[in-house]
Amino acid sequence: MSIPTPEAHVRQVVETVERRSPSEPEFLQAVHEVLDTLIPVLAEHPEFIEAEVLDRLVEPERQVMFRVPWLDDDNHVRVNRGYRIQFNSALGPFKGGLRFHPSVNLSVVKFLGFEQIFKNALTGQQIGGGKGGSDFDPRGKSRFEVMRFCQSYMTELYRYIGAQTDVPAGDIGVGGREIGFLFGQYRRLTNGHESGALTGKGTGWGGAEVRTQATGYGAVYFAEEMLARAGESIEGRRAIVSGSGNVATYVIEKVQQLGGRAVTASDSSGFIVDEQGIDVDLLKQIKEVERGRISEYADRRPGARFVSDGSVWSVPGELAFPCATQNELDEAGARKLLDGGVRAVTEGANMPTTPEAVALLQQAGVLFAPGKAANAGGVATSALEMSQNASRDRWDFEQSEERLHAIMRDVHDSSYAASVRYGRPGDYVLGANTAGFVRVARAMVDQGVV
Ligand code: GLU
């Protein structure tokens, strides 16, 4: 049997996915985004085509969907839908976060799980790719409602996870509080304290130092490396940040530590602009402690303003960090960033930039760091948490941050090296996809047809 050309092969795999999953737009977007960049790798490695690596890669190893019934504070029965997509375990146990947000559906969880395979491979750690979540909306729910929901969710999920099998963590709507509730129920159901079955735990009971900060800090370290290659730096630069969750907060903190000035943050109600630089303690107080709205920041901080109708991307600045959610930065947003003098866009969220916006920014010569490389610091630190749990060890903050920094330098360097090797130096989209893919594809070929 003759081997098809790389172009024909990719076309055929994409057509199969489109036929099988016609109602999963985010998943199809993520598949396109990766597969379209793999032609030069497949040309160099016909064995990947022969072993049908792509056909296997686009089909999750296992998908779990389940009912999550719970009682609200008025004792009314509520029902949500739970998901866990175990996408690929060639490199290690399935690994990836849980997202609790009303927008969660099968397409969203599959796109996140697919991205996670390559991201996790890029970290150089032994972790496969997975993702899960629910359409549960934590906003406006009491602490006990959130607890009952997490307990019900885990009552089904616990059968499928474990330190060697699948290790969930946080994502949008799932932070330290939710991981605590999930872990408590897991421990009860499994009659043991298998710490390695979840990451993002509290540092007093098996969690790793720096895990909370890792995604945001890591994204800024990536931006620093990318800028340094171009002879530039963060110091003295204005940063436009979207979001106000865990990723955005620690992007802002690290930008300011490195001498930059982050002047925006946002949530679904609008955005704030603070020309003095965002006061991170106030932001944490409002969003983390009080779980309030971003507009309250402007109420309490002299000189800051809240904008409810407009785009955060219209605020001028040299550095942009989309840290909210998928497809938040579209072509119109990218044009505004270009008008405002943007030099580098670093994705803190997963797939926040639409394909049209990525093309526009790259054509304009803007440095562009895709999420699967730039935000890999979170999951990389989760892998460090797994190592510490397995060896019953604990590293201090400095040591943990140094490891994160070294990993982000490696992620940058391997993405850049792959962009050179496959003919488009400085194209980090191509670089991250190809470097991550080669590592997974080799493992899949070595391990036979499974
Ligand atoms: N949800 C994060 C991500 O998108 C972290 C996952 C983890 O730590 O497992 O990579």
Side-chain angles (χ1 to χ4, degrees):
M1 201 182 85
S2 70
I3 300 180
T5 63
E7 289 83 358
H9 182 59
V10 165
R11 213 176 317 120
Q12 171 255 312
V13 176
V14 168
E15 277 166 17
T16 307
V17 180
E18 283 170 349
R19 184 165 39 75
R20 278 207 186 118
S21 310
S23 53
E24 296 172 9
E26 292 86 359
F27 177 53
L28 288 173
Q29 183 183 336
V31 167
H32 262 290
E33 196 266 327
V34 173
L35 266 51
D36 291 351
T37 60
L38 297 183
I39 309 277
V41 186
L42 296 171
E44 199 180 88
H45 294 278
E47 73 276 17
F48 294 164
I49 302 182
E50 218 164 355
E52 301 285 6
V53 165
L54 288 187
D55 305 64
R56 289 187 280 145
L57 203 55
V58 294
E59 190 62 23
E61 290 181 31
R62 182 179 297 113
Q63 311 184 54
V64 192
M65 280 171 69
F66 48 97
R67 178 170 69 202
V68 190
W70 55 282
L71 285 180
D72 68 19
D73 286 344
D74 298 324
N75 280 334
H76 288 139
V77 178
R78 304 280 199 104
V79 178
N80 285 98
R81 186 174 283 178
Y83 302 87
R84 184 71 184 168
I85 307 296
Q86 300 185 329
F87 227 119
N88 193 295
S89 61
L91 292 178
F94 304 106
K95 182 83 198 86
L98 300 173
R99 177 176 291 192
F100 292 169
H101 191 270
S103 65
V104 166
N105 57 35
L106 185 60
S107 173
V108 168
V109 187
K110 279 178 72 178
F111 116 65
L112 290 164
F114 188 68
E115 292 261 306
Q116 201 83 43
I117 304 171
F118 307 97
K119 183 196 306 195
N120 294 5
L122 268 178
T123 68
Q125 311 282 313
Q126 281 181 282
I127 39 179
K131 201 86 182 193
S134 173
D135 57 0
F136 174 74
D137 186 359
R139 198 137 63 89
K141 304 288 189 301
S142 73
R143 180 183 154 81
F144 286 113
E145 287 177 326
V146 170
M147 186 180 82
R148 286 194 291 276
F149 174 80
C150 288
Q151 290 175 340
S152 180
Y153 183 88
M154 185 53 85
T155 301
E156 180 61 26
L157 186 72
Y158 89 97
R159 304 162 205 284
Y160 310 103
I161 66 171
Q164 308 295 334
T165 323
D166 182 358
V167 184
D171 196 83
I172 294 173
V174 179
R177 177 181 70 170
E178 290 73 21
I179 293 293
F181 295 150
L182 290 163
F183 186 74
Q185 183 74 350
Y186 181 77
R187 182 167 66 71
R188 187 177 189 197
L189 290 165
T190 55
N191 187 30
H193 196 290
E194 193 195 6
S195 336
L198 285 169
T199 61
K201 299 181 294 295
T203 49
W205 43 278
E209 294 289 350
V210 190
R211 177 63 193 87
T212 311
Q213 296 85 352
T215 312
Y217 280 15
V220 180
Y221 286 143
F222 192 98
E224 196 185 24
E225 294 297 317
M226 182 169 75
L227 287 160
R229 263 221 88 269
E232 300 179 36
S233 82
I234 288 177
E235 209 182 332
R237 293 264 169 97
R238 279 166 64 94
I240 310 307
V241 181
S242 65
S244 51
N246 176 263
V247 182
T249 301
Y250 292 100
V251 160
I252 293 170
E253 187 165 279
K254 186 51 81 182
V255 163
Q256 331 246 68
Q257 281 175 10
L258 296 178
R261 187 151 43 101
V263 293
T264 64
S266 70
D267 67 12
S268 56
S269 65
F271 64 94
I272 48 153
V273 186
D274 184 349
E275 291 294 340
Q276 303 167 73
I278 301 285
D279 176 343
V280 181
D281 291 335
L282 179 58
L283 183 69
K284 285 183 194 167
Q285 175 63 27
I286 291 166
K287 297 303 290 189
E288 270 179 38
V289 181
E290 299 170 22
R291 296 177 187 269
R293 309 300 293 160
I294 198 76
S295 56
E296 291 165 36
Y297 180 96
D299 297 340
R300 293 193 218 171
R301 172 95 161 158
R305 63 194 162 92
F306 171 66
V307 184
S308 63
D309 57 341
S311 164
V312 70
W313 310 122
S314 58
V315 181
E318 298 90 4
L319 311 174
F321 291 90
C323 299
T325 195
Q326 64 268 10
N327 293 328
E328 56 165 311
L329 171 53
D330 60 7
E331 211 177 337
R335 279 189 207 287
K336 291 191 177 91
L337 282 176
L338 290 172
D339 290 345
V342 75
R343 281 292 304 133
V345 175
T346 307
E347 293 187 328
N350 291 313
M351 207 170 76
T353 317
T354 65
E356 299 75 27
V358 176
L360 188 69
L361 292 164
Q362 286 185 324
Q363 276 155 22
V366 170
L367 298 167
F368 181 82
K372 66 171 81 63
N375 74 31
V379 76
T381 308
S382 277
L384 303 182
E385 185 169 327
M386 291 161 71
S387 305
Q388 290 167 72
N389 292 153
S391 59
R392 299 187 158 273
D393 198 2
R394 262 199 82 178
W395 307 345
D396 64 21
F397 195 94
E398 286 67 34
Q399 188 184 0
S400 307
E401 195 180 0
E402 193 32 60
R403 285 291 296 265
L404 167 67
H405 201 160
I407 289 171
M408 292 315 296
R409 277 194 215 104
D410 279 353
V411 170
H412 171 273
D413 293 352
S414 51
S415 303
Y416 186 79
S419 77
V420 173
R421 181 182 178 109
Y422 295 111
R424 293 215 298 266
D427 180 343
Y428 289 94
V429 175
L430 170 90
N433 287 344
T434 51
F437 170 73
V438 167
R439 194 164 170 240
V440 184
R442 285 213 174 105
M444 289 175 72
V445 170
D446 289 350
Q447 293 170 27
V449 178
V450 288

